[in-house]
Structure formats: C-alpha cells, structure tokens
Amino acid sequence: MNPYSAADEPELVEFGPARGLSVSGQGEPGGATYNTCFAALYAVAGGLRDVAARNGGAFDLPPLEGRWWVEDERSPFDMPREEWHWHLFLRLPDTVEDRWYDEAREAAPHPAAPRVQLVTYTEGRCVQVLHRGPYADEPRTLARMDAHLKETGMVANGLHHEVYLSDLYETDPEKMRTILRLPVRPAV
C-alpha cells in the first residue's frame, strides 16, 4: 500500500513496517518546541540525503508525517494545544544504511539533532481518508472516520496519524491535503 495515497472516503488499509527519522515532543504545532524539533529533524534528514548521495543512494525527502496523542481522556480538540504530544517522522527508503544515519546526525548543525532517532514502527490495519482543507476543519473528517469505524465494527488501536501532502506553510484551503490515518482493531 502506498503510504502517500488515500481515498476521499474512509477506507480500511494495511501497512507494514515504516522506517525513518523521528523526533518526539510536546507542545502546540508551530510552537517553540515543535519548531526546534522540526528544524532538527530536517537538519539530520538533509545531512542523511547528502551522505546517501555520496554513497550512490540518493533520495528525495518524503512528506512529513506526524503521530499525535494526548494523555487525557478528553478529545485533543478539548485540550490546550500545549498538552499535545507528537512524533514527527520522515520515511526513509530501504537503501539508506543505518551507519549513514549516525554520520548525518553527528554532523547536523543543529543543537537538537541528538533528539532525532532512527525508528521502525508498524501500524498494521488502519482506517484512513484524504482530508481536503485546513487543519482546523479536521474534526468533520475525523467524524466520518469514526462513523466508518462503527459501521465496520472496529475501534481505535494506536496514535492519530497525519501525512502532510501539501506544503506545511500552505494557507490556501483549496490546496491543503492531509491523509488522516488511525490504527484499528476489531471491537471485542
């Protein structure tokens, strides 16, 4: 399954392991901690691209992904955004060697580069949909995903996942595209 493609209606999909660079933190999107971690992630990723190119494994950076959660029973939309937790993630091609990551992280010109990790995770079965429009309108799309979960007898089984297909600084709602994804399992 292509991790950068989703239908306009919620659908069940399956994903195997994803390997890439990740940085974790807490705070609102666009806040100080988020921006520091975001910059560190791209500093290491840029260095890794350079190392890979020198070793015959050039690649383009993929879309940014974010997995989000709150440590509360309330909806994230009912919580102050400063209390949101996240993992920012950039997938890597299989051709990237672990030792290249070590070299890139050590050489990255960013003080938070040591926070960037090479990780692998597996989501398995998920419900996903393509959200068109601004991030503030996501609750409507998430409600459609939730209805699909109920119709298919599934429940959430992991972190809310977003794949940012548009430029993160895009402000034209007509151009904004985000895949919304949620790991699921059968309801017991």
Side-chain angles (χ1 to χ4, degrees), residues 58-170:
F59 67 94
D60 292 327
L61 289 179
L64 179 69
E65 301 181 42
R67 294 185 300 145
W68 299 83
W69 76 97
V70 295
E71 295 183 354
D72 194 294
E73 295 301 315
R74 294 175 288 171
S75 162
F77 299 107
D78 295 332
M79 304 266 311
R81 291 163 44 113
E82 300 83 38
E83 294 182 32
W84 290 6
H85 296 263
W86 35 263
H87 300 298
L88 300 178
F89 183 75
L90 290 171
R91 284 177 197 267
L92 295 175
D94 293 338
T95 57
V96 172
E97 297 184 22
D98 289 358
R99 63 187 172 89
W100 299 347
Y101 152 75
D102 293 330
E103 181 181 338
R105 188 175 80 162
E106 289 171 15
H110 195 284
R115 292 182 68 168
V116 178
Q117 301 175 10
L118 182 63
V119 302
T120 300
Y121 72 93
T122 302
E123 287 181 309
R125 183 181 289 174
C126 298
V127 64
Q128 73 173 12
V129 66
L130 179 62
H131 171 73
R132 297 173 187 269
Y135 305 127
D137 290 348
E138 285 183 8
R140 285 195 320 247
T141 304
L142 292 170
R144 291 176 36 227
M145 289 174 69
D146 189 53
H148 186 73
L149 287 178
K150 290 176 181 151
E151 290 169 10
T152 57
M154 305 298 262
V155 294
N157 191 39
L159 301 180
H160 170 78
H161 185 163
E162 298 185 355
V163 181
Y164 308 103
L165 301 178
S166 311
D167 182 318
L168 292 173
Y169 301 104
E170 179 62 63

Side-chain angles (χ1 to χ4, degrees), residues 41-53:
L41 179 65
Y42 276 91
V44 174
L48 183 57
R49 269 186 38 185
D50 294 344
V51 173

Side-chain angles (χ1 to χ4, degrees), residues 21-45:
L21 298 177
S22 184
V23 63
S24 301
Q26 178 182 353
E28 69 177 302
T33 301
Y34 182 94
N35 288 342
T36 296
C37 290
F38 177 87
L41 179 65
Y42 276 91
V44 174

Side-chain angles (χ1 to χ4, degrees), residues 170-184:
E170 179 62 63
T171 58
D172 181 350
E174 295 299 316
K175 295 181 181 176
M176 297 178 77
R177 304 286 183 271
T178 308
I179 295 173
L180 303 181
R181 185 177 294 151
L182 183 65
V184 296

